[in-house]
Amino acid sequence: MIFVTGGAGFIGSNFVLDWLAQADEPVLNFDKLTYAGNLNNLATLKQDVRHRFVRGDICDGEQVLALLLEHRPRAIVHFAAESHVDRSIHGPGEFINTNINGTFSLLEATRAYWSALPDSEKSAFRFLHVSTDEVYGTLGPDDAPFSETTAYAPNSPYSASKAASDHLVRSYHHTYGLPTLTTNCSNNYGPFHFPEKLIPLMIVNAQAGKPLPVYGDGQQVRDWLYVSDHCAAIRRVLEAGRVGEVYNVGGWNEMANLDVVHTLCDMLDRMRPKADGGSYRAQISYVKDRPGHDRRYAIDARKLESELGWKPAETFESGIAKTVQWYLDHPAWLADVQSGDYANWVASNYFNREGA
Ligand code: NAD
Ligand code: TYD
């Protein structure tokens, strides 16, 4: 079996669902269920004995070690993290705690478990760490995309905490021989994406008749990766990646934020026309920029393609059409994630930001 951390979040839950759709190998899903964790994402697995969920914190090394000893996984896939840049600006403490201390505790528990395995299981074991392209910092318009050898230059508390976790993982391979793999991926989008991030936030606000808040001039560029392509990349790296290596995962889909928002508006105009016949574009509102906002991310994913034969199956056009359709088809999921503390977050992040 495999042990997945953060498997109730956006990418983790897509990964667990895809994993069990492709193979019969059971999953132990270990997640703290923060605001970003949502068991509704896994509702279709309710009766599935291959999926076991345990609520817990990766900072609790004792609980993690006890589970590892009980279930004896052959691999750990580590998604659990605080993941939203704006939240890291409002309150970096939880990012240091989970992303750095939590990864450290998880590595220590893993080392204790792995060291005592028989030799054959020890060499077959894998610790796959899921990270981000944001550790490489920001690119100018003509810079080459990030490769696996680009120097780290994180600019937000989020990316700095992920960079620290990447370094810890690297050190556990070099120092203790732990068979690690690290993936650094670009911006994901798709089903179950929490509506604090750009794409789902715009879909939600558009339908609610609310402003579509574009930070600064909207010309910041991200490289969009459909989540199931990312999940396939992780499966492939886990299967055949060279131990100790880093693999960048990207969608070859660089787009400026404003173009993404225009695409979403135009798509919604066709799929869910407004009663007054107007366009959702009229709801776009330029707001004060994010402090330290990285201008451009782009991933060179050629290593993953040439070594392991992975490339994305979706274009932005196909992936975004599936994504918008998914949100239109799942109003109950959306209503549920917008209850609780969601309104407080929206109020604090967008308060006093209008009219930039
Ligand atoms: P998410 O915020 O949607 O989910 C994070 C999950 O981790 C949640 O289920 C949460 O409950 C859980 N979690 C948080 N703290 C925990 C703790 N201390 N112990 C156990 N569980 C905890 O994040 P996501 O978008 O699914 O991202 C998953 C991973 O991928 C993260 O490591 C993130 O840095 C990385 N990543 C994400 C993106 C993206 O576009 N979303 C891009 C690059 C890298
Ligand atoms: P986000 O989805 O938060 O991902 P990240 O910051 O990790 O790239 O944001 C994607 C881009 O969209 C980023 O450049 C910030 C911008 N953005 C807005 O313009 N408005 C918003 O309301 C949000 C949440 C993001």
Side-chain angles (χ1 to χ4, degrees):
M1 62 109 68
I2 62 165
F3 186 102
V4 170
T5 73
F10 162 47
I11 305 174
S13 60
N14 275 285
F15 178 82
V16 169
L17 292 167
D18 283 8
W19 179 270
L20 292 174
Q22 316 266 336
D24 267 337
E25 189 174 11
V27 174
L28 186 101
N29 185 349
F30 185 75
D31 194 298
K32 186 178 172 182
L33 295 182
T34 66
Y35 78 93
N38 185 354
L39 288 179
N40 288 341
N41 301 3
L42 302 160
T44 54
L45 299 177
K46 226 172 191 159
Q47 310 297 332
D48 195 325
V49 291
R50 298 171 305 164
H51 178 245
R52 168 141 183 237
F53 180 80
V54 176
R55 186 171 192 178
D57 188 332
I58 53 167
C59 297
D60 183 351
E62 278 182 24
Q63 189 189 5
V64 172
L65 180 56
L67 286 167
L68 295 177
L69 292 170
E70 184 188 345
H71 295 279
R72 302 182 67 81
R74 67 157 179 107
I76 295 176
V77 184
H78 176 35
F79 294 97
E82 287 293 332
S83 69
H84 189 31
V85 174
D86 291 320
R87 285 188 192 253
S88 84
I89 294 167
H90 284 247
E94 221 25 68
F95 288 71
I96 306 306
N97 195 35
T98 284
N99 300 359
I100 305 180
N101 297 331
T103 299
F104 167 65
S105 298
L106 180 66
L107 282 166
E108 275 295 88
T110 305
R111 182 164 75 94
Y113 162 69
W114 170 78
S115 310
L117 288 175
D119 281 349
S120 60
E121 286 178 46
K122 211 171 165 182
S123 57
F125 183 83
R126 296 288 182 269
F127 182 99
L128 192 153
H129 175 58
V130 178
S131 192
T132 168
D133 59 358
E134 303 192 23
V135 297
Y136 300 120
T138 187
L139 292 168
D142 301 321
D143 290 340
F146 301 129
S147 78
E148 289 80 0
T149 54
T150 302
Y152 275 35
N155 289 320
S156 72
Y158 163 64
S159 54
S161 68
K162 291 296 289 187
S165 70
D166 293 8
H167 292 323
L168 283 169
V169 171
R170 178 189 159 89
S171 76
Y172 272 63
H173 173 65
H174 282 267
T175 305
Y176 304 112
L178 188 70
T180 62
L181 297 158
T182 297
T183 54
N184 292 83
C185 71
S186 59
N187 286 63
N188 284 222
Y189 67 102
F192 304 117
H193 206 182
F194 192 79
E196 64 185 357
K197 306 276 171 73
L198 178 75
I199 287 179
L201 181 93
M202 294 297 165
I203 298 172
V204 164
N205 280 16
Q207 288 188 81
K210 293 184 179 160
L212 307 179
V214 171
Y215 295 167
D217 63 3
Q219 293 307 314
Q220 305 82 6
V221 170
R222 298 294 183 262
D223 175 356
W224 293 98
L225 173 66
Y226 191 64
V227 66
S228 67
D229 279 332
H230 183 202
C231 294
I234 293 173
R235 288 198 304 277
R236 185 69 191 130
V237 172
L238 188 60
E239 183 180 39
R242 284 185 294 133
V243 160
E245 289 291 313
V246 173
Y247 294 91
N248 280 356
V249 192
W252 300 108
N253 275 317
E254 279 187 61
M255 275 182 89
N257 293 338
L258 191 59
D259 293 333
V260 170
V261 176
H262 282 157
T263 302
L264 290 170
C265 289
D266 297 349
M267 207 160 252
L268 286 166
D269 286 341
R270 287 194 301 277
M271 294 163 81
R272 190 58 57 93
K274 283 173 82 152
D276 64 6
S279 169
Y280 291 100
R281 286 191 186 212
Q283 288 167 230
I284 291 173
S285 153
Y286 291 90
V287 302
K288 200 162 138 210
D289 208 351
R290 171 189 280 172
H293 199 171
D294 285 337
R295 197 69 182 163
R296 175 177 166 236
Y297 302 142
I299 280 274
D300 178 345
R302 281 179 299 176
K303 178 177 173 183
L304 189 49
E305 183 171 351
S306 62
E307 277 192 22
L308 303 181
W310 174 92
K311 51 179 186 190
E314 301 291 344
T315 61
F316 188 72
E317 290 67 32
S318 64
I320 202 70
K322 286 184 188 180
T323 304
V324 173
Q325 190 62 57
W326 187 88
Y327 279 92
L328 293 178
D329 290 345
H330 292 83
W333 182 90
L334 264 181
D336 182 73
V337 296
Q338 289 176 86
S339 62
D341 198 44
Y342 179 77
N344 294 337
W345 162 252
V346 171
S348 70
N349 191 41
Y350 297 96
F351 175 72
N352 235 348
R353 205 163 183 160
E354 262 87 57

